[in-house]
Amino acid sequence: MRRQRSVEQQQVADLLRTARESLGLPLAFLSRLDGRTQHLEVMDSPLPMVYKDGNTQDQGTSLCQAILDKKLPAVIPDLRRYPEAMDLPAAKFPRHIRSYVSVPVTLSDGTLYGTFCAAGFTADRNLGKRDRNLMEVLARAAALVIEPKVHEQARRDEIEARLLPVIREGGPVVVLQPIVDLKSGRRVGAEALSRFPKEWGKAPDVVFAEAHSVGLGHLLELLALERAAEHLDRVGGYVSMNASPSTLLTPECAELLGRLPGRRILLELSEHDQVDDYEALGVALASLREHGMQLAIDDVGAGFSSLRHIVLTSPDVIKLDRSIVDGVARESVLTTLVRSLVDFAHSCGARVVAEGIETEADARTLLALEVDSGQGWHFGRPGPAEALEPVAEEGPGLLPAVPALPEPRAAADDAAVSRSPDR
């Protein structure tokens, strides 16, 4: 039974059919060469064939490799005229190939992908230069069809090669950045932030997005949450952790969060993550809130989706994105925007945390705008749990007392491993 072909494979099959019918040969195929094996990726023939999509053979003993090595010509009307060809498996099994045309398939960067071939089981003395020219034109068309998928597979392979060792080692390194009450200047919590190897040159949010694009996102997020949870016994106050809505809906995430001390956790949902099913998300959040967790919407002000998150999830905390925090003391537009968001949040009964605070001037302005808490390099860079100051035992802010958060209204605040760039 033939495997279901992709759109790209069917387009290649149509090109092969054109080649086969134009040359008057019973078999045409596209092969991929990996240096050791020739993969017969797409076959076209009107005959019942032993050769099928997905068949492989030794690249070193293939007719295509001999042609690429210039041991044989690209057009072979009769293999019996070439002893080198008759010694190869294709001339002997499973059907005796006697005529052959093979041209390389080269990608736009010059990389050899494989070969575009047509074959017959009898000699065909009419094969010649014209046929080779046609095959080269069709091979270039095939390259255009397959190249996007080739690049996508290379991208996936590169991402997996980077991520799998991190996953095998238990997930990313997780550091903590202090969150302080702006009125008192005392620490009330900390955000757990994922860190990946510096040589990758990629921000955490990019790494998590890449992981999701290759099917490893949920696993990487869960490992990051596990690493964040390890800090709960080592620090006072709450720990803010970040989870994407899609990961939050998995049974594995529900199980993990269900065994953690809910009143110590603020769960952050990024505004960059789309929500396909708010009803299902609401059910998941309700269960976590019953467990004592609170909900924060992250990156507010960086785009539009956070507003929908806010309306449909009723968060306990709104976190202002650094893009509208940095420079708020000198930019009147930012001041106006932050004031509007603070008024909106407080009218909804939510607290406000500003991210990315780097100067005393911005901190004072945010306090004057009635932002409740803040984090950023001005208060401390991300680091180990041991570097954090103790939390205030009593006082204003997100925590009326240590270690509990205020009673949750409807969602989980301060939680999951942050995947956004931070300072």
Side-chain angles (χ1 to χ4, degrees), residues 187-228:
R187 186 177 76 82
V188 291
E191 182 171 8
L193 302 162
S194 291
R195 289 294 178 263
F196 296 94
K198 289 183 179 180
E199 57 268 25
W200 291 5
K202 295 178 181 289
D205 60 333
V206 173
V207 176
F208 280 98
E210 289 180 333
H212 277 287
S213 75
V214 299
L216 296 174
H218 295 326
L219 177 57
L220 189 63
E221 285 195 50
L222 291 172
L223 290 173
L225 287 169
E226 290 275 13
R227 285 276 174 95

Side-chain angles (χ1 to χ4, degrees), residues 2-313:
R2 175 176 289 181
R3 298 185 304 176
Q4 183 70 32
R5 284 175 170 168
S6 66
V7 173
E8 294 84 3
Q9 287 174 324
Q10 188 55 54
Q11 290 174 333
V12 171
D14 292 340
L15 294 170
L16 292 169
R17 182 171 295 107
T18 298
R20 182 179 57 75
E21 292 175 348
S22 298
L23 273 61
L25 297 176
L27 171 66
F29 62 88
L30 169 74
S31 79
R32 175 173 59 86
L33 305 176
D34 66 11
R36 299 181 61 182
T37 303
Q38 182 178 31
H39 305 261
L40 307 183
E41 297 215 321
V42 184
M43 312 287 296
D44 182 75
S45 176
L47 305 175
M49 297 296 298
V50 175
Y51 301 104
K52 293 182 174 62
D53 292 5
N55 283 174
T56 61
Q57 59 186 25
D58 185 347
Q59 180 177 327
T61 61
S62 67
L63 279 168
C64 290
Q65 187 61 51
I67 293 171
L68 289 170
D69 293 340
K70 301 189 182 305
K71 296 177 181 178
L72 295 171
V75 179
I76 308 175
D78 188 348
L79 263 69
R80 290 172 296 186
R81 294 179 54 193
Y82 300 90
E84 300 93 333
M86 294 304 292
D87 288 338
L88 298 176
K92 303 173 182 178
F93 179 84
R95 294 282 297 272
H96 301 333
I97 290 178
R98 289 295 178 261
S99 52
Y100 203 71
V101 182
S102 176
V103 297
V105 176
T106 305
L107 303 181
S108 60
D109 62 359
T111 301
L112 175 68
Y113 176 81
T115 54
F116 197 88
C117 309
F121 305 113
T122 60
D124 186 343
R125 300 184 184 281
N126 293 320
L127 292 177
K129 183 178 180 180
R130 180 191 68 84
D131 301 303
R132 175 178 177 173
N133 291 340
L134 174 62
M135 292 287 281
E136 287 175 344
V137 170
L138 295 173
R140 285 194 289 271
L144 292 173
V145 170
I146 64 177
E147 184 158 1
K149 199 160 189 176
V150 171
H151 289 321
E152 171 60 16
Q153 187 59 52
R155 184 191 73 86
R156 295 179 66 89
D157 291 344
E158 188 276 330
I159 291 172
E160 290 177 1
R162 279 190 288 109
L163 289 180
L164 288 176
V166 171
I167 288 173
R168 285 193 292 268
E169 292 172 6
V173 173
V174 170
V175 293
L176 299 176
Q177 184 173 39
I179 300 174
V180 304
D181 169 57
L182 291 182
K183 288 183 179 179
S184 67
R186 296 296 300 273
R187 186 177 76 82
V188 291
E191 182 171 8
L193 302 162
S194 291
R195 289 294 178 263
F196 296 94
K198 289 183 179 180
E199 57 268 25
W200 291 5
K202 295 178 181 289
D205 60 333
V206 173
V207 176
F208 280 98
E210 289 180 333
H212 277 287
S213 75
V214 299
L216 296 174
H218 295 326
L219 177 57
L220 189 63
E221 285 195 50
L222 291 172
L223 290 173
L225 287 169
E226 290 275 13
R227 285 276 174 95
E230 293 172 1
H231 291 297
L232 288 169
D233 292 335
R234 303 165 60 194
V235 299
Y238 67 87
V239 175
S240 179
M241 307 178 187
N242 193 301
S244 68
S246 59
T247 296
L248 190 61
L249 292 176
T250 64
E252 294 81 4
C253 188
E255 186 279 328
L256 188 162
L257 295 176
R259 55 183 163 83
L260 300 181
R263 291 181 59 77
R264 296 283 312 284
I265 296 172
L266 176 66
L267 190 63
E268 295 187 21
L269 295 183
S270 172
E271 86 119 44
H272 298 296
D273 296 312
Q274 297 299 314
V275 176
D276 296 323
D277 189 342
Y278 275 100
E279 183 175 353
L281 180 62
V283 172
L285 290 175
S287 176
L288 294 174
R289 282 167 159 161
E290 289 177 1
H291 188 54
M293 291 186 188
Q294 293 189 22
L295 174 68
I297 300 301
D298 196 13
D299 306 323
V300 174
F304 299 104
S305 59
S306 61
L307 296 179
R308 184 166 174 79
H309 286 0
I310 292 170
V311 170
L312 296 177
T313 63

Side-chain angles (χ1 to χ4, degrees), residues 408-423:
R409 295 181 307 104
D413 188 349
D414 281 295
V417 169
S418 175
R419 301 190 335 258
S420 57
D422 63 276
R423 296 291 300 275

